[in-house]
Amino acid sequence: MASITRLAGPSRDHLDWPFFDATHLELAEQLDRFATSGALSGIDHDDTDRTCRSLVKVLGEAGLLDAATGGGGKAPIDSRAVCLTRETLAWHDGLADFAFAMQGLGTGAIGLVGSDALKALVLPKVQAGDWISAFALSEKDAGSDVAAMQCGARRDGNHFVLDGEKTWISNGGIADVYTVFARTGEAPGTRGISAFVVFSDDPGFSIAERIDVIAPHPLATIRFENCRVPADRLLGEPGEGFKIAMRTLDIFRASVAAASLGFARRALDEALAHAKARPMFGATLGDLQLTQAALGDMAAEIDAAALLTYRAAWRRDVQGLPTTKEAAMAKMVATENAQKVIDRAVQMFGGRGVQRGEIVESLYREIRALRIYEGATEVQKLIIARELMK
């Protein structure tokens, strides 16, 4: 199986931007030590369930899940730390990025509005990598249109009873704890949705179907049949579920942009190495002006996306300002630019670019989903326009 030599790690040139402080420089060094320790070598992409469990545990033991969970609930989540971690892990391996990101997304709502008891029960276990978490919002006919949600929850004494299905649930089938959004009917549309914590061993919870996608990771449709959840596992107040979901996504949406950056930087690094080494017409591929023009476009597109990404994270962390518009811009631009960068890299590799085992081929599969999940590009445009018109 043909493959070029793996490179050492991502560029750190952007860490001298004013968005970062000393703690982020220390985190970058910690991430690089972790990556070069061999912890991310030989990752098995054929057995994604076992691999993701292993990666979550390794990340927890290395202390890297602190960023995803706010130190196990001890501090607010630092968006720049989450973005920097995702960018680095994505540069090395898509499953490693996925394993980290879902520990944060799956428990973000618990950290935001969960009771002290729930935080103490869940967050330290997720931080340590002992538990795996998931975020269950989407349904078959309610993805971008959350108001169309059908999964319901009704109050029954000291419990809520959940019935319905959720689909496209990352970590579905291997997660121990799920943040689940269900219709409770306090008002029409999004105002009648609530959020709950569900454990994988709760009676009435089951895995309806496992889903296979082009960049494999644990994914499933989950089912609730008369699933009784204690009322103290309600997150926030009844009817606040949509607001909680959007607050959670506002934190982690910019990190999707950061993962895209990691993929795009890796594609550029691979393309540069290939262009310098590939003989062509008595010189190298990199000596051709068309190649140089493509590399110039790729570098500019990455930096433009990075500036938007870390502006959104900095605005939230340092200025404490809403980042709905800024995170949407970052997510939209970074994912779309990364798709273009990776496509150019594949083109430079020619036939090798579509051969399994090549890094650029795997990046091509990895990036596609990021333009869809946590709000497709088209939805990001609507979010940006809505915020502009307020």
Side-chain angles (χ1 to χ4, degrees), residues 153 160 162 178-182 184 194-198 229 233-235:
F160 283 89
L162 276 66
Y178 295 77
T179 296
V180 179
F181 298 86
T184 44
S194 299
F196 304 89
V197 174
V198 177
V229 175
R233 288 206 234 136
L234 173 72
L235 292 172

Side-chain angles (χ1 to χ4, degrees), residues 21-370:
D21 59 35
T23 63
H24 301 108
L25 302 183
E26 293 170 2
L27 175 60
E29 292 179 359
Q30 180 187 3
L31 287 163
D32 288 341
R33 288 194 302 271
F34 172 77
T36 56
S37 70
L40 299 179
S41 62
I43 292 178
D44 182 1
H45 291 85
D46 294 325
D47 188 349
T48 56
D49 288 3
R50 182 185 63 80
T51 298
C52 282
R53 289 191 186 98
S54 174
L55 283 168
V56 166
K57 189 61 181 173
V58 168
L59 289 166
E61 290 173 345
L64 294 176
L65 295 178
D66 290 8
T69 63
K74 297 175 184 176
I77 292 174
D78 184 279
S79 295
R80 291 165 295 170
V82 173
C83 288
L84 187 57
T85 304
R86 289 202 66 178
E87 180 183 348
T88 303
L89 293 175
W91 190 96
H92 288 280
D93 189 271
L95 269 183
D97 163 64
F98 168 84
F100 168 84
M102 286 311 305
Q103 292 298 89
L105 182 61
T107 58
I110 298 173
L112 285 172
V113 298
S115 66
D116 290 342
L118 269 178
K119 291 178 183 177
L121 173 63
V122 175
L123 296 181
K125 292 184 176 65
V126 173
Q127 173 199 23
D130 294 331
W131 280 8
I132 293 175
S133 68
F135 182 83
L137 179 65
S138 296
E139 298 180 10
K140 181 180 178 181
D141 296 316
S144 299
D145 182 11
V146 178
M149 183 181 297
Q150 295 298 310
C151 181
R154 58 183 174 83
R155 186 72 183 250
D156 183 15
N158 292 325
H159 289 76
F160 283 89
V161 181
L162 276 66
D163 285 287
E165 290 187 349
K166 297 287 180 180
T167 195
W168 310 112
I169 306 307
S170 292
N171 277 344
I174 68 169
D176 303 282
V177 56
Y178 295 77
T179 296
V180 179
F181 298 86
R183 179 165 299 286
T184 44
E186 288 76 17
T190 58
R191 293 177 295 164
I193 294 169
S194 299
F196 304 89
V197 174
V198 177
F199 298 126
S200 59
D201 58 359
D202 282 336
F205 171 87
S206 63
I207 305 301
E209 177 189 17
R210 296 302 299 270
I211 302 170
D212 193 18
V213 289
I214 59 175
H217 65 270
L219 194 70
T221 297
I222 61 176
R223 179 175 295 153
F224 306 94
E225 295 178 290
N226 199 35
C227 179
R228 296 178 65 82
V229 175
D232 61 7
R233 288 206 234 136
L234 173 72
L235 292 172
E237 297 296 324
E240 291 186 344
F242 178 75
K243 291 181 180 179
I244 293 168
M246 294 306 104
R247 287 179 64 191
T248 305
L249 291 174
D250 274 352
I251 295 172
F252 290 97
R253 185 168 281 145
S255 81
V256 180
S260 301
L261 283 176
F263 292 142
R265 289 191 196 280
R266 184 58 184 270
L268 176 57
D269 290 342
E270 298 292 339
L272 280 167
H274 179 68
K276 291 176 181 178
R278 174 73 160 90
M280 186 166 285
F281 302 124
T284 67
L285 177 63
D287 290 317
L288 301 179
Q289 287 185 332
L290 282 173
T291 303
Q292 294 172 12
L295 292 170
D297 284 339
M298 293 159 79
E301 286 161 354
I302 289 171
D303 265 15
L307 285 163
L308 286 173
T309 300
Y310 286 107
R311 178 192 68 162
W314 170 82
R315 180 180 168 91
R316 179 183 178 275
D317 290 343
V318 177
Q319 295 189 312
L321 295 171
T323 59
T324 300
K325 173 168 63 73
E326 291 75 13
M329 286 180 173
K331 202 267 185 184
M332 177 182 74
V333 172
T335 56
E336 293 294 330
N337 282 7
Q339 181 80 63
K340 290 187 284 187
V341 167
I342 293 167
D343 186 70
R344 287 195 194 95
V346 169
Q347 193 75 8
M348 283 188 202
F349 273 74
R352 282 180 59 193
V354 292
Q355 182 177 348
R356 283 202 175 263
E358 289 291 343
I359 293 169
V360 292
E361 182 272 338
S362 68
L363 291 169
Y364 195 83
R365 288 184 287 108
E366 290 282 2
I367 191 57
R368 191 59 186 86
L370 274 66

